[in-house]
Amino acid sequence: MIRVLLVDDDALVRAGLSMMLDGIGDIAVVGEAGDGREALTAADAHFPDVVLMDLQMPHVDGITATRRLRARPNPPEVIVLTTFDTDENIVHALRAGAGGFLLKDTPPAQIADAVARVAAGNPMLSPAVMRRLMDRTVAHTGAYERARTALAALTPREHDVAVAIANGRSNAEIAGALLMSVTTVKSHVSSILIKLGLDNRTQIALLAHDADLV
């Protein structure tokens, strides 16, 4: 049997999922939790194979709970089941270790199929989520190429300063790390802004991030 733990702050949602899933194929709902903090305790008590995890919950949110669960020895698989499919939520959930990401309007048969697939170690994303990730990848590729092209206009020393800015270093810290005066650092920063057509240090940092330099 695939042991499933339901985590959602809406008791009606948990009840609906329990009625829908319990007894389908080899799935057994073994426990419920109303937030991420309760999920950690419930996982200790019920030893689930798969956790269906909501994101927006009090006390401990779903992404934090997912990260903590996945950091444990022999962790359960986690499928995020939410109404919030923003790019940020998707990426953060997957980075936290979720093996699946589904929307709450996913048909019951597909949710059950996702539980079985993820329990077997196969990731499962809803078609809408997959499309968002594909669009994000294409957009990131374009940003990466633009950033690399722009930064190629910098001298090696200016490039070092740009990377240091992206790492959150102050002018004094950059001066110490690169063995130059603070005045020279300021001069490099001004030159970078002019060459790249930027307005401030934050934009320099963002460009370096887009170029995967940090």
Side-chain angles (χ1 to χ4, degrees):
M1 296 294 290
I2 302 172
R3 300 169 60 83
V4 175
L5 173 66
L6 305 177
V7 184
D8 197 295
D9 61 342
D10 189 329
L12 290 177
V13 171
R14 297 198 307 272
L17 287 170
S18 182
M19 291 178 61
M20 177 184 71
L21 291 173
D22 207 9
I24 293 181
D26 295 329
I27 296 175
V29 176
V30 296
E32 299 181 11
D35 59 54
R37 184 170 60 191
E38 291 181 6
L40 301 175
T41 302
D44 288 335
H46 300 293
F47 305 102
D49 301 303
V50 176
V51 177
L52 282 178
M53 182 80 72
D54 189 23
L55 289 184
Q56 305 294 333
M57 297 181 292
H59 307 302
V60 175
D61 63 82
I63 290 174
T64 300
T66 297
R67 184 179 299 109
R68 292 177 182 175
L69 283 173
R70 294 296 297 166
R72 295 179 170 187
N74 302 314
E77 297 291 340
V78 176
I79 298 175
V80 168
L81 187 63
T82 182
T83 55
F84 303 99
D85 65 336
T86 65
D87 290 355
E88 179 178 333
N89 281 339
I90 295 169
V91 172
H92 285 180
L94 296 179
R95 285 179 174 170
F101 196 109
L102 302 176
L103 302 181
K104 286 184 176 178
D105 60 0
T106 301
Q110 292 183 20
I111 295 177
D113 181 60
V115 169
R117 287 175 178 268
V118 171
N122 300 312
M124 182 67 181
L125 303 176
S126 70
V129 169
M130 181 63 75
R131 171 55 60 185
R132 291 184 75 100
L133 285 178
M134 290 172 65
D135 291 343
R136 180 185 175 90
T137 299
V138 171
H140 176 73
T141 299
Y144 170 82
E145 292 174 349
R146 289 191 296 272
R148 286 282 181 170
T149 299
L151 292 169
L154 303 181
T155 67
R157 213 57 171 158
E158 289 168 348
H159 188 277
D160 292 340
V161 171
V163 172
I165 289 173
N167 281 310
R169 293 188 174 183
S170 67
N171 285 343
E173 290 170 334
I174 296 172
L178 299 182
L179 303 178
M180 61 178 67
S181 69
V182 172
T183 300
T184 301
V185 173
K186 291 180 178 179
S187 177
H188 282 313
V189 173
S190 296
S191 179
I192 292 169
L193 293 172
I194 293 171
K195 285 184 177 181
L196 301 182
L198 303 177
D199 297 322
N200 53 50
R201 295 168 69 96
T202 299
Q203 292 178 347
I204 295 175
L206 290 174
L207 196 66
H209 278 282
D210 284 343
D212 283 343
L213 297 180
V214 292

